[in-house]
């Protein structure tokens, strides 16, 4: 599994200037402690078709503007100030881990994960949770799992004619984010 993941590891040429890949772990990046900055990273490969799954582990506090999801190759990787950068424009779709909102085109587009009883977001992500991201490029669907719990469909209108990359945005200094590509999701 790690050999397959190696081919999808973080791309050293596709990182914000405030992010470095850990020297002893090509699957983990470290956000430098830089004030008033939001930073993103993408891996070596994106997806044009098929179903894909990867795991993300945020080993430290997320800070106020942590967003996890997918982006095109054209998505911006750095911004001044603390903002939810992933989902800021039409190039990214993300789950804001602190607010429990989905982000696209600079707007909150709904609560996530949704509570079927009242339509509000369920309790948000907690630091240390393992998140699995499930992308179906054939159907244009993005979903998440926390631990062994499927959280539901987040987006179901992703473009199927563009390459999408796993992506995140972070503001917290010394954040460590590990990305492991798992392959096709296992249904059941």
């Amino acid at each position: 599994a790690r050999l397959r993941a190696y081919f999808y590891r973080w791309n050293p040429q596709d990182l914000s200037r405030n992010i470095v890949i850990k020297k002893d772990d090509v699957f983990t990046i470290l956000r430098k402690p830089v004030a008033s900055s939001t930073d993103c990273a993408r891996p070596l490969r994106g997806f044009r078709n098929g179903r894909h799954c990867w795991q993300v582990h945020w080993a430290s506090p997320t800070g106020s503007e942590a967003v996890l999801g997918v982006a095109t190759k054209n998505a911006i990787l750095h911004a001044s100030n603390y903002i939810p950068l992933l989902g800021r424009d039409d190039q990214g779709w993300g789950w804001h881990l602190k607010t429990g909102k989905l982000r696209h085109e600079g707007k909150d587009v709904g609560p996530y994960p949704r509570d079927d009883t009242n339509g509000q977001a369920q309790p948000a992500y907690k630091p240390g949770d393992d998140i699995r991201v499930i992308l179906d490029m054939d159907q244009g669907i993005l979903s998440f799992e926390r631990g062994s719990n499927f959280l539901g469909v987040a987006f179901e209108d992703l473009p199927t004619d563009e390459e999408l990359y796993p992506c995140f945005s972070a503001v917290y200094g010394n954040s460590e984010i590990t990305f492991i590509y798992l392959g096709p999701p296992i249904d059941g």
Side-chain angles (χ1 to χ4, degrees), residues 18-175:
N18 297 322
I19 292 178
V20 296
I21 298 172
K22 288 186 73 174
K23 290 182 184 188
D24 61 342
D25 182 0
V26 297
F27 303 110
T28 302
I29 53 176
L30 176 69
R31 184 187 175 278
K32 298 175 191 174
V34 177
S36 297
S37 173
T38 304
D39 303 285
C40 293
R42 282 185 292 255
L44 289 169
R45 294 183 178 184
F47 310 106
R48 287 193 173 276
N49 53 47
R51 297 172 66 229
H52 305 275
C53 183
W54 58 92
Q55 183 166 305
V56 175
H57 181 80
W58 214 296
S60 56
T62 60
S64 60
E65 302 294 348
V67 185
L68 178 63
V70 294
T72 69
K73 190 70 168 170
N74 297 321
I76 298 168
L77 295 179
H78 172 79
S80 298
N81 298 317
Y82 299 134
I83 63 170
L85 186 54
L86 179 60
R88 176 185 183 185
D89 56 22
D90 64 349
Q91 302 297 305
W93 297 259
W95 171 27
H96 194 298
L97 300 178
K98 201 71 161 178
T99 66
K101 303 283 185 185
L102 296 174
R103 303 271 313 157
H104 180 60
E105 296 184 333
K107 298 179 268 197
D108 291 337
V109 295
Y112 190 83
R114 290 175 200 80
D115 181 337
D116 290 335
T117 60
N118 63 16
Q120 298 300 309
Q122 294 177 19
Y125 169 85
K126 295 183 291 291
D129 284 349
D130 284 330
I131 301 293
R132 274 183 303 284
V133 185
I134 304 153
L135 175 63
D136 183 335
M137 284 300 297
D138 299 328
Q139 300 293 317
I141 295 173
L142 182 67
S143 305
F144 297 91
E145 293 180 348
R146 180 177 45 216
S148 61
N149 297 320
F150 180 68
L151 301 177
V153 171
F155 294 95
E156 52 190 342
D157 57 354
L158 299 176
T160 56
D161 59 346
E162 287 190 64
E163 189 169 24
L164 296 180
Y165 292 78
C167 195
F168 82 94
S169 62
V171 299
Y172 194 81
N174 294 315
S175 285

